[in-house]
Amino acid sequence: MKWLAHITEDGNEQTIAEHSKGAAELAASFAACFHMEKEAYYVALMHDIGKFSEEFQQRLLHGGPIIDHSTAGAYEAFMDRKLIASFCIAGHHAGLPDGGFRSDIEGGSLYARLNRAKKGMIPRYDSWKLEINPQEFEEFRAKNNYEVSFMTRMIFSCLVDADFLDTESFFCGEIERGRRFDIKKLEESLDNYVRPWFPPKQGVNDLRCRILSEVGIRAKTEERGIFTLTVPTGGGKTVSSLNFAIQHAKKNHLERIIYVIPYTSIIEQTAEVFRRIVGNEMVLEHHSNVEVKEDDEAYLFRATENWDMPIIVTTAVQFFESFYKNKSSSARKLHNIANSVIIFDEAQMMPIPYLRPCVRVVTELVKNYFASAVLCTATQPSLNSMIYEFFPEVHVYELCPNYIFEDSVFSRVTFQDLGIMSSELLAAELNQKDQVLCIVNSRKAAKDLFSMMEGDGIFHLSTNMYPIHRKRVLGEIRTRLREGLTCRVVSTSLIEAGVDIDFPVVYRQVCGLDSILQAGGRCNREGKKTQTESKVLVFDLDCGSPELFSMQIAAYREMMKQYKDISSKEAVKFYFELLFYLKGEDSLDQKHILKRLEEENLPFESISNDLHLIDSNTRTLYIRVEENENEIKMLKNGFANKQDYRKLGLYGINIYEYEFRKLMDRYAITVLNNGNCVLDDMTLYNNETGLNIELEFGQAIFV
């Protein structure tokens, strides 16, 4: 009998043996960079042996019922004492399962499925031994359960990507995918980009060039490891970190550069800089608010699936959640993260409730998967003790010399505490300024303050505005600043990291030190004014701040008692150590991810369900405009595809449940099958402030 894995509509056939061997060779090549070729080859070779059954062949040829073809290979691997392979094979369609208990018989845990296989409760697949000859190897024994779980995810990544690509090749033939990592071309492109900077002018430009050169020198001498790049705001860390990544990849034969950034607004700006430097074809921008045209740039569209590109710019949510989610769609990219340079931009913004699991990912990639990591920020959090806990042998190197960081050129602003102010008094002060930025802690505060502003050139920015709306307003702000026109902006914190703007004075509602220093980076950015002329004025509103900022504010105020220079490394270190102490260790891993991975039987599915780096009960509200009418129509009719959703992400706002209920009460929305919704009553969307839901007394909208 010819045992088939796939058959095309026009009758072309691929046998199980052909598919298994093709996937195995691909998987082994993916795992080569971290020396697990044999494990990956075995897993891929065995993953489809459950298709050697009459029931599966009937389904394939005659449309029979769905058949469990994954448990068979998992059972054979387990009986061969290969636990990692068993998990990977069991999960290659449904996702990595929980390990469960040895007594399980019901449900989807690995043990439940193995016990059902042992009792003969899956289709017979005896013929596999005639065509599949698995090679023998000793499965690598990790030092602890976390390393076992991580290794499982990496082998799983090799399997699911290889399975998909071999199947795609059979059905579609040669498909354009990704781009080669041409280190020589990257190096030449960067050299051409920075050549006009030299010889540098005095002041900030001189220091930027010195940082660029120092970082490049270190990159050429350092082996793989963990690095920090602590550059004052405006010090050119984006280009300097790219310089490090290219030179370090060349020196250590690394295969990819990955930028991990907290906000999509920063990603868009960073990706655009990289495209100007190395060209569009070398950069993949992967996040919810980017539109990739499947027809025009097919290779980019496909590269979002497995990150087969030289430079990837992505979100912290996309990056870290991929290492803790159990689905194959999340895992496909993981093997391409090994043997890479990974830049964590604005590292101080790693989510505190998941800080320990995030740092553990970083150390594991460097320790066992030949990556280098750079924690890049103007306000370096105190993560060294956590890094050394997970990786005692590592030494964390700072790439920016102290003499540069402490240069007086970077002391461009004066911080001043205004105490408590009413909204009316604050608005009156802002109205007297020609160009001013005011950053507050909530969307409600931003909207209320904006309503008190007067005159032309007044702008509002918050996440109540959909991404393209915010981008358009930022463009107007930049134009007015450049032309010296009146420009008064009230914003939430979304403007303070990675948005390249320059105001003569900034007001910042009291919050964490890192946010206040980031706000300072929007003031006198180019150093054209004196330090005393350039003020960052810290205040609090008489109505106070949302409770979620209380510990950050407490740590900031305590730091203020200890240090005159709040931007010094010592002040920043004190602030973060105190903040982590106030929050307590449990708050740095609020779902106990690491403890569960050490103590439970590899609960892959449970952790996947529990871990959400943006941990809020929100829905996406799509705003209907002329540009997306067709996609909105497809969405409402249930025919929207992946590309439609990508485009609509540019017009989406996250709303909380009570906001959703208010919109429902007003019959203002259409609710979709997935729980998200479309705004039908466009009178509720304001061209200046975005979504406008009148709230009852006592309610608040937080950032």
Side-chain angles (χ1 to χ4, degrees):
M1 180 175 179
K2 185 186 291 186
W3 298 96
L4 300 178
H6 304 112
I7 185 168
T8 63
E9 290 184 2
D10 58 1
N12 287 335
E13 298 174 342
Q14 184 184 40
T15 68
I16 303 170
E18 289 168 344
H19 171 57
S20 298
K21 185 176 180 182
E25 290 173 350
L26 275 175
S29 70
F30 297 156
C33 66
F34 49 93
H35 308 313
M36 293 184 190
E37 302 97 316
K38 290 183 179 180
E39 290 87 340
Y41 188 95
Y42 174 92
V43 168
L45 195 69
M46 296 286 285
H47 79 285
D48 266 356
I49 65 172
K51 291 182 177 180
F52 284 99
S53 69
E54 295 285 354
E55 291 90 336
F56 181 84
Q57 297 301 308
Q58 284 297 314
R59 170 169 175 72
L60 184 66
L61 296 170
H62 306 295
I66 294 174
I67 298 298
D68 172 9
H69 71 271
S70 302
T71 301
Y75 179 72
E76 293 294 335
F78 186 80
M79 296 305 291
D80 202 17
R81 305 181 71 178
K82 294 178 172 58
L83 179 65
I84 289 175
S86 185
F87 268 104
C88 293
I89 296 169
H92 79 270
H93 281 294
L96 289 169
D98 288 346
F101 300 95
R102 289 183 178 274
S103 58
D104 286 353
I105 192 71
E106 300 291 336
S109 73
L110 180 65
Y111 271 120
R113 294 171 65 176
L114 297 177
N115 285 332
R116 292 198 292 271
K118 186 176 182 180
K119 293 178 179 292
M121 297 169 66
I122 62 172
R124 294 178 62 87
Y125 54 96
D126 295 339
S127 300
W128 75 274
K129 295 179 181 178
L130 300 176
E131 298 192 42
I132 302 292
N133 181 26
Q135 63 189 59
E136 287 299 319
F137 71 92
E138 184 71 23
E139 187 168 81
F140 176 76
R141 295 187 180 276
K143 294 179 180 178
N144 53 60
N145 274 4
Y146 185 86
E147 290 190 2
V148 171
S149 72
F150 204 95
M151 190 183 307
T152 303
R153 295 181 192 279
M154 295 301 280
I155 298 297
F156 182 63
S157 171
C158 296
L159 166 62
V160 294
D161 197 26
D163 184 20
F164 184 94
L165 292 176
D166 185 79
T167 303
E168 177 186 75
S169 178
F170 169 69
F171 278 98
C172 304
E174 196 69 29
I175 295 289
E176 183 185 26
R177 277 191 168 274
R179 288 294 183 267
R180 186 171 65 89
F181 187 69
D182 187 338
I183 192 66
K184 184 177 180 181
K185 181 178 178 181
L186 292 174
E187 188 177 28
E188 289 175 352
S189 297
L190 181 60
D191 286 345
N192 291 335
Y193 183 81
V194 301
R195 188 173 295 120
W197 297 10
F198 295 88
K201 299 175 183 178
Q202 295 300 312
V204 174
N205 287 329
D206 178 53
L207 280 224
R208 287 171 181 162
C209 290
R210 284 157 63 189
I211 292 170
L212 181 76
S213 299
E214 288 279 359
V215 166
I217 291 168
R218 292 295 298 272
K220 295 174 182 178
T221 59
E222 296 294 346
E223 302 295 327
R224 294 179 180 91
I226 298 178
F227 306 89
T228 56
L229 178 56
T230 313
V231 176
T233 303
K237 62 182 170 63
T238 299
V239 178
S240 289
S241 59
L242 180 62
N243 184 34
F244 175 85
I246 291 172
Q247 298 299 337
H248 191 66
K250 181 180 180 181
K251 196 264 180 194
N252 291 283
H253 308 289
L254 303 178
E255 298 173 352
R256 197 164 279 101
I257 296 168
I258 301 171
Y259 262 74
V260 182
I261 300 177
Y263 291 146
T264 54
S265 58
I266 312 175
I267 288 180
E268 291 162 357
Q269 182 172 291
T270 302
E272 186 56 38
V273 171
F274 291 164
R275 291 190 190 100
R276 287 202 301 267
I277 296 172
V278 302
N280 291 341
E281 287 201 345
M282 304 294 274
V283 181
L284 173 68
E285 186 180 350
H286 187 199
H287 56 89
S288 59
N289 289 348
V290 67
E291 182 182 3
V292 179
K293 298 177 181 178
E294 188 169 7
D295 295 333
D296 296 341
E297 298 169 322
Y299 72 95
L300 279 178
F301 184 79
R302 297 188 184 100
T304 61
E305 299 167 343
N306 65 354
W307 287 6
D308 184 15
M309 286 286 288
I311 298 176
I312 295 98
V313 189
T314 191
T315 61
V317 171
Q318 176 76 238
F319 184 87
F320 288 115
E321 285 195 358
S322 293
F323 283 97
Y324 290 106
K325 293 298 183 182
N326 72 324
K327 299 301 183 185
S328 59
S329 56
S330 298
R332 281 186 63 186
K333 65 179 77 74
L334 299 186
H335 68 87
N336 278 329
I337 298 174
N339 203 40
S340 296
V341 188
I342 311 166
I343 311 291
F344 296 94
D345 195 18
E346 306 296 351
Q348 81 283 356
M349 300 184 76
M350 286 188 190
I352 287 181
Y354 299 99
L355 187 60
R356 287 177 61 81
C358 289
V359 173
R360 190 67 191 268
V361 166
V362 176
T363 58
E364 190 65 18
L365 284 167
V366 176
K367 183 179 181 181
N368 290 319
Y369 296 91
F370 303 93
S372 277
V374 182
L375 305 176
C376 185
T377 178
T379 53
Q380 197 68 243
S382 183
L383 299 178
N384 283 16
S385 60
M386 208 178 296
I387 290 170
Y388 292 137
E389 175 190 348
F390 299 140
F391 191 3
E393 304 87 353
V394 76
H395 178 75
V396 181
Y397 295 93
E398 171 58 52
L399 299 174
C400 181
N402 249 0
Y403 79 90
I404 293 180
F405 182 89
E406 295 171 355
D407 195 290
S408 60
V409 169
F410 285 126
S411 299
R412 301 190 303 272
V413 302
T414 299
F415 293 91
Q416 182 179 337
D417 195 326
L418 298 180
I420 297 175
M421 306 177 71
S422 67
S423 297
E424 291 79 9
L425 178 59
L426 177 59
E429 281 202 20
L430 297 177
N431 281 326
Q432 293 173 10
K433 308 290 184 184
D434 290 330
Q435 293 188 338
V436 62
L437 168 65
C438 180
I439 305 172
V440 292
N441 288 339
S442 73
R443 294 188 289 184
K444 184 178 187 301
K447 180 172 171 288
D448 289 348
L449 188 59
F450 177 80
S451 69
M452 302 176 191
M453 303 293 289
E454 299 172 352
D456 295 329
I458 301 171
F459 300 94
H460 166 280
L461 285 168
S462 81
T463 51
N464 268 345
M465 302 155 67
Y466 58 82
I468 285 183
H469 186 180
R470 296 200 305 265
K471 190 173 183 178
R472 185 169 63 245
V473 171
L474 273 169
E476 293 180 38
I477 290 169
R478 289 191 175 102
T479 298
R480 294 185 75 90
L481 289 173
R482 186 169 58 249
E483 296 178 358
L485 302 174
T486 301
C487 186
R488 305 184 188 109
V489 179
V490 179
S491 177
T492 58
S493 61
L494 65 85
I495 200 171
E496 67 190 13
V499 180
D500 193 3
I501 53 175
D502 190 353
F503 283 86
V505 61
V506 172
Y507 285 69
R508 184 44 165 111
Q509 187 175 6
V510 67
C511 53
L513 174 61
D514 51 328
S515 292
I516 290 170
L517 294 178
Q518 288 287 354
R522 309 315 117 195
C523 180
N524 194 24
R525 189 173 181 85
E526 297 300 321
K528 295 178 180 179
K529 297 181 181 294
T530 66
Q531 183 177 1
T532 53
E533 287 179 302
S534 309
K535 300 286 183 67
V536 178
L537 305 169
V538 181
F539 66 92
D540 201 2
L541 293 169
D542 53 9
C543 59
S545 291
E547 179 64 26
L548 62 92
F549 294 103
S550 60
M551 288 188 183
Q552 286 91 329
I553 293 172
Y556 169 75
R557 286 179 169 152
E558 186 61 32
M559 180 278 305
M560 286 283 290
K561 298 175 185 177
Q562 306 289 333
Y563 296 92
K564 290 183 178 180
D565 181 5
I566 68 171
S567 63
S568 68
K569 286 185 178 180
E570 293 76 18
V572 173
K573 184 174 185 290
F574 177 90
Y575 166 79
F576 277 110
E577 287 181 348
L578 179 57
L579 179 63
F580 295 162
Y581 172 78
L582 290 174
K583 286 185 171 290
E585 187 170 304
D586 281 352
S587 72
L588 307 182
D589 185 3
Q590 67 176 17
K591 298 291 186 179
H592 306 292
I593 301 299
L594 300 185
K595 183 178 181 181
R596 289 161 65 186
L597 284 171
E598 287 293 351
E599 297 180 359
E600 299 176 24
N601 187 12
L602 299 179
F604 291 113
E605 185 175 7
S606 298
I607 284 174
S608 179
N609 293 336
D610 289 348
L611 186 137
H612 304 281
L613 264 65
I614 301 177
D615 199 10
S616 59
N617 188 20
T618 63
R619 303 169 186 253
T620 299
L621 173 69
Y622 297 105
I623 308 302
R624 177 171 46 83
V625 296
E626 185 178 346
E627 294 86 352
N628 66 16
E629 285 280 5
N630 185 59
E631 287 78 14
I632 290 288
K633 183 178 179 181
M634 299 293 283
L635 193 65
K636 285 185 172 183
N637 292 331
F639 299 122
N641 57 30
K642 185 186 292 187
Q643 189 63 19
D644 294 328
Y645 275 105
R646 285 188 182 279
K647 180 173 181 178
L648 286 169
L650 302 170
Y651 302 90
I653 297 171
N654 288 332
I655 59 172
Y656 292 92
E657 278 301 304
Y658 69 84
E659 296 175 285
F660 171 75
R661 290 193 297 271
K662 288 182 76 69
L663 290 168
M664 284 284 289
D665 291 343
R666 294 186 59 158
Y667 301 99
I669 55 176
T670 297
V671 182
L672 307 172
N673 291 335
N674 61 5
N676 294 328
C677 45
V678 175
L679 184 65
D680 294 323
D681 184 356
M682 289 304 296
T683 64
L684 297 179
Y685 194 88
N686 185 284
N687 287 332
E688 291 183 322
T689 58
L691 186 65
N692 184 20
I693 306 175
E694 291 300 324
L695 300 174
E696 297 171 3
F697 180 77
Q699 292 180 312
I701 303 177
F702 300 133
V703 174

